[in-house]
Amino acid sequence: MKWAKWQTSKVIRGQSMIVALLTVLCTIASASAATFDGKYPIRVGATVGMVADIVREVAGDRAEVTNIIGSGVDPHVYSPTRSDVAVLLKSDIIFYSGLLLEGQMSDVLVKISRKRPVYAVTELLKADYLLQDKQTGHHDPHVWMDVGGWIKAVDVVVEAMAGFDPPNAELYHRNAKTYQALLHRLDDYARQAIASIPENQRVLVTAHDAFNYMGRAYGIEVKGIQGISTESEAGLKDINRLVDLLVTRRIPAVFVETSVSDKNVKALIEGAAARGHRVTIGGNLFSDAMGSPGTYEGSYVGMIDHNATLISRALGGQAPAGGMQGKLAETK
């Protein structure tokens, strides 16, 4: 208990130091930084890979995008470092996901917004679209799992970039239109792939509730062991409840996530086996972070293509092994 309190106070002290440093640096920074100086490439800071990917597609070679929270890193519990703060302060414009996904970066982003244009890419989403977590009362931040919803994030980026750099507004809008056409194709593919799963097996069991927007958009029941934030803890009742579901519905597979521990998922498999039902790990899903940089799965399109294809094939659907574009590196 004492160790836990010490760890908590250590984190708080570390965050206080970051905020204090940020206050000093922001005071030093010029107020004119909110106005583009006409030098290319534009320096863009982005919190998570899904956001950075939109900016790269929209801005092309007009921007140099720095992605702060990399692949395989859980943004729910990520604490910004001094180097992260330095990256943000050097950026001409900043984009983040919002809806408390980057909870521990909130203070940093608020302070920087006084000197730099800062945009949440989810800001155009209406309240009746957003899902809410019953336990916390907060909005579910995992909007990118519904491609139709994430398309609206592109609108935020293109309008922000066009307003910041008017001479290239036409280019940004043209790039955004091309990218959104690809996302519409991806949206259709995900819907068709999930629909090919036998209805009684159309249940997605994962480590935490990152897939509820996907479930609503594409018609698959979603069950997460933890809540929408990985900071929540799964109890024995949660495990037993899901074991009952797996056994009763004869669900063939459960899934682990690249940015979340697989401990609880393995407990489900063991629990089902003890009751005579064999459950396999269907594969690794990308939830809060994309794949490795430079890979197809390291793009937003590749991330969703991978997830939809893997889920479909593991649960008895008919998606092609190579996914929508035949580019997937590995699916069962």
Side-chain angles (χ1 to χ4, degrees):
M1 189 70 174
K2 290 181 179 178
W3 182 87
K5 288 181 178 178
W6 177 81
Q7 283 290 89
T8 301
S9 63
K10 182 180 177 183
V11 170
I12 291 172
R13 287 198 305 272
Q15 290 177 343
S16 297
M17 288 175 64
I18 293 294
V19 172
L21 172 66
L22 180 63
T23 301
V24 173
L25 291 174
C26 278
T27 301
I28 296 171
S30 169
S32 64
T35 303
F36 180 43
D37 59 12
K39 295 179 181 178
Y40 297 98
I42 299 170
R43 296 168 299 182
V44 181
T47 54
V48 293
M50 295 76 75
V51 173
D53 212 41
I54 295 177
V55 183
R56 292 189 181 104
E57 292 290 341
V58 170
D61 63 5
R62 297 297 190 275
E64 180 181 276
V65 184
T66 301
N67 174 195
I68 292 173
I69 306 175
S71 63
V73 179
D74 182 357
H76 294 287
V77 295
Y78 183 80
S79 296
T81 65
R82 293 190 180 198
S83 61
D84 295 334
V85 173
V87 166
L88 292 172
L89 285 171
K90 290 177 183 177
S91 298
D92 299 310
I93 185 170
I94 296 163
F95 295 94
Y96 68 107
S97 186
L99 301 175
L100 297 182
L101 176 72
E102 307 95 340
Q104 296 192 40
M105 294 188 75
S106 297
D107 287 342
V108 173
L109 292 167
V110 167
K111 286 183 177 294
I112 288 181
S113 69
R114 298 170 187 167
K115 300 293 182 182
R116 301 283 188 279
V118 177
Y119 295 89
V121 301
T122 53
E123 65 183 30
L124 292 181
L125 296 173
K126 296 181 179 179
D128 59 359
Y129 169 85
L130 296 171
L131 297 173
Q132 196 168 45
D133 179 53
K134 294 179 181 178
Q135 292 182 337
T136 65
H138 296 149
H139 288 128
D140 184 339
H142 303 93
V143 176
W144 59 88
M145 288 301 176
D146 170 14
V147 183
W150 199 238
I151 286 172
K152 296 184 183 301
V154 181
D155 292 332
V156 174
V157 172
V158 69
E159 292 303 328
M161 291 301 299
F164 186 69
D165 179 24
N168 283 298
E170 184 178 346
L171 170 67
Y172 298 144
H173 279 96
R174 187 166 63 247
N175 289 347
K177 186 176 180 180
T178 299
Y179 186 48
Q180 287 178 317
L182 177 60
L183 295 187
H184 281 295
R185 278 184 55 207
L186 180 65
D187 188 37
D188 291 340
Y189 172 77
R191 187 169 291 102
Q192 292 168 8
I194 299 300
S196 72
I197 301 170
E199 189 171 355
N200 66 307
Q201 295 176 190
R202 211 173 292 162
V203 181
L204 175 62
V205 179
T206 60
H208 84 298
D209 275 342
F211 297 88
N212 288 316
Y213 288 100
M214 171 182 263
R216 183 180 66 181
Y218 306 121
I220 185 169
E221 190 177 348
V222 175
K223 299 292 182 181
I225 304 173
Q226 293 171 270
I228 62 172
S229 172
T230 53
E231 290 184 292
S232 63
E233 291 291 337
L236 186 60
K237 287 184 178 180
D238 299 309
I239 300 292
N240 288 336
R241 171 177 51 84
L242 287 174
V243 168
D244 287 340
L245 175 71
L246 294 170
V247 173
T248 303
R249 298 278 294 272
R250 313 306 291 176
I251 306 301
V254 293
F255 299 86
V256 293
E257 301 171 40
T258 58
S259 57
V260 182
S261 169
D262 62 359
K263 178 183 67 175
N264 291 327
V265 173
K266 288 180 177 178
L268 290 182
I269 294 173
E270 292 170 2
R275 294 177 55 179
H277 176 53
R278 182 175 180 271
V279 177
T280 64
I281 291 181
N284 274 288
L285 298 178
F286 298 110
S287 55
D288 293 332
M290 305 189 304
S292 300
T295 66
Y296 176 57
E297 291 81 358
S299 68
Y300 172 70
V301 171
M303 170 193 197
I304 299 300
D305 190 0
H306 169 92
N307 285 351
T309 302
L310 191 70
I311 291 166
S312 173
R313 292 173 65 81
L315 294 178
Q318 301 300 315
M324 180 181 77
Q325 303 186 90
K327 295 181 179 180
L328 292 179
E330 182 180 343
T331 55
K332 289 189 176 182

